[in-house]
Amino acid sequence: MGVPNSGIWSSSELYKNSVLQLEEAAHVMKLDPNISERLKKPKRALCVSVPIRLDDGAIAVFEGFRVQHNMTLGPGKGGVRYHQDVTLSEVAGLAMLMTFKCSLVGLPLGGAKGGIAVDPNLLSRQEKQALTRRYTSEINMIIGPDKDIPAPDVGTDGQTMAWMMDTYSQEKGYAIPGVVTGKPVEIGGSLGRAESTGRGVVYTIVQAAQRLNMRLDNSISVSVHGFGKVGAIAAEEMALLGCKVVAVSDVSGGIYNKNGLDIGAVNEYFAKNRTLKGFQNSDAITNDELLALKVDILIPAAIDGVIHHKNVSQVNAKMIAEGANGPITAEAHKILVERGVFIIPDVLCNAGGVIVSYFEWVQGLQNFFWSEREVNEKLKDTMVNAFQRVSACMDRYKTRDMKTAALITGVDRLNRAMLLRGLFP
Ligand code: NAD
């Protein structure tokens, strides 16, 4: 049928790419077209206006969204993004990826996502709090521990989740920690949640290296695009494995040292200065230069669409681990696969966050909390198991790329559940 070119969902590249990936998987696995047609569109979306009073007394109104793509397997699950480029279509594409991710790693959860079109760096703490509280209040009729459970994403963090949890609880009249995950530990968060996505990225790299007979030691160079919640931890864990992290970057640019950066020191420097610029023993590089570095492993961990048809010819990595959601466009992905680059797909690579979010939700419902070691062990088991199932699916269907196999693995479970539940009415 092709990607629908009209309609409210399909204006963003990320949504179109997500549909293209689904179509490729559906074709290879010979998926019932009735199921693939249903999966190409979200179940529901809520668009809201979020008015807040700015510190100078003026009122500003932002656009906010919450999209629930598919809830066959359980309540919706997915982050909330604060970024100036957020649109309904982008949020819908990200919600679709969440559906496949939750299904792939075996969680009893559906796919959802939320966002506000705002640059959070331009808001004060008080303005961000007002924005978060009003957004939560506007979407409160469709979220809840049994309905849809938000989490942090780009531009949001544990503090944002604490404000969301408090607002939702105030409106209901009692504490409901299960409404969000990624909360601070003091109010019902899980140990290991903050590090889970970055750690999970590295667990999949270890598995991929085994598949490729690559030894992860000091001879392996790594670059990380995006030094946020995912990228900073992934960089730290790769350094702990003994690899050379030669470059890291954030939105304002990056730093490079061909002999490897001291990631512990970079973290300290960044925490103190809120910038990577000026870090000792390193050269400044641009984000474009970082993506073009000749390295063994590239971890794009910032935003979507950063590797595209215009810059793909310069990408010079043997393995790419998609820490971010959708960092490689469908067109660029095809070119890289033809060139023999091994790509660990986002729905598998960055699933650590939603896995530990699920652990947090379960711990909260039981009011029984686990040690960090227990969380990490369960995370590792789940990631390794998912990688091996996707790897086996690659061999079974003889797919050249891991993305198609990951989608097949996720869609297969969902397909069986959707067929069993049938179509209402
Ligand atoms: P974050 O806001 O903590 O960090 C994003 C980083 O990317 C920051 O360093 C920022 O400066 C940088 N960045 C933003 N725009 C950039 C650009 N145009 N060029 C270069 N760098 C840029 O966000 P995060 O939570 O680390 O999320 C990063 C990616 O990982 C997103 O795609 C998100 O959807 C995905 N993800 C996050 C989680 C999670 O648990 N946080 C889970 C799964 C997937």
Side-chain angles (χ1 to χ4, degrees), residues 115-176:
I116 304 180
V118 62
D119 181 349
N121 301 313
L122 303 180
L123 299 181
S124 68
R125 179 185 159 90
Q126 184 47 41
E127 290 166 340
K128 256 189 276 187
Q129 179 169 177
L131 184 82
T132 302
R133 288 187 181 279
R134 185 60 189 252
Y135 169 70
T136 308
S137 180
E138 293 295 340
I139 64 164
N140 88 350
M141 68 284 278
I142 63 165
I143 60 170
D146 300 320
K147 292 184 187 172
D148 179 3
I149 308 136
D153 190 71
V154 175
T156 56
D157 56 16
Q159 177 62 75
T160 322
M161 294 305 113
W163 290 328
M164 287 192 82
M165 177 261 184
D166 185 67
T167 306
Y168 187 83
S169 300
Q170 294 294 347
E171 287 181 341
K172 300 287 174 194
Y174 58 102
I176 309 175

Side-chain angles (χ1 to χ4, degrees), residues 81 153-155 193 197 225 227-230 250-251 301-302 324-325:
R81 179 173 291 198
D153 190 71
V154 175
R193 169 62 182 92
T197 310
H225 179 256
F227 199 69
K229 296 186 290 299
V230 179
D250 73 356
V251 67
N325 283 310

Side-chain angles (χ1 to χ4, degrees), residues 399-420:
T399 65
R400 289 183 67 191
D401 63 299
M402 204 172 204
K403 186 157 277 199
T404 307
L407 273 249
I408 292 175
T409 310
V411 170
D412 181 48
R413 173 171 174 235
L414 195 58
N415 173 41
R416 283 181 281 127
M418 286 172 78
L419 289 173
L420 281 167

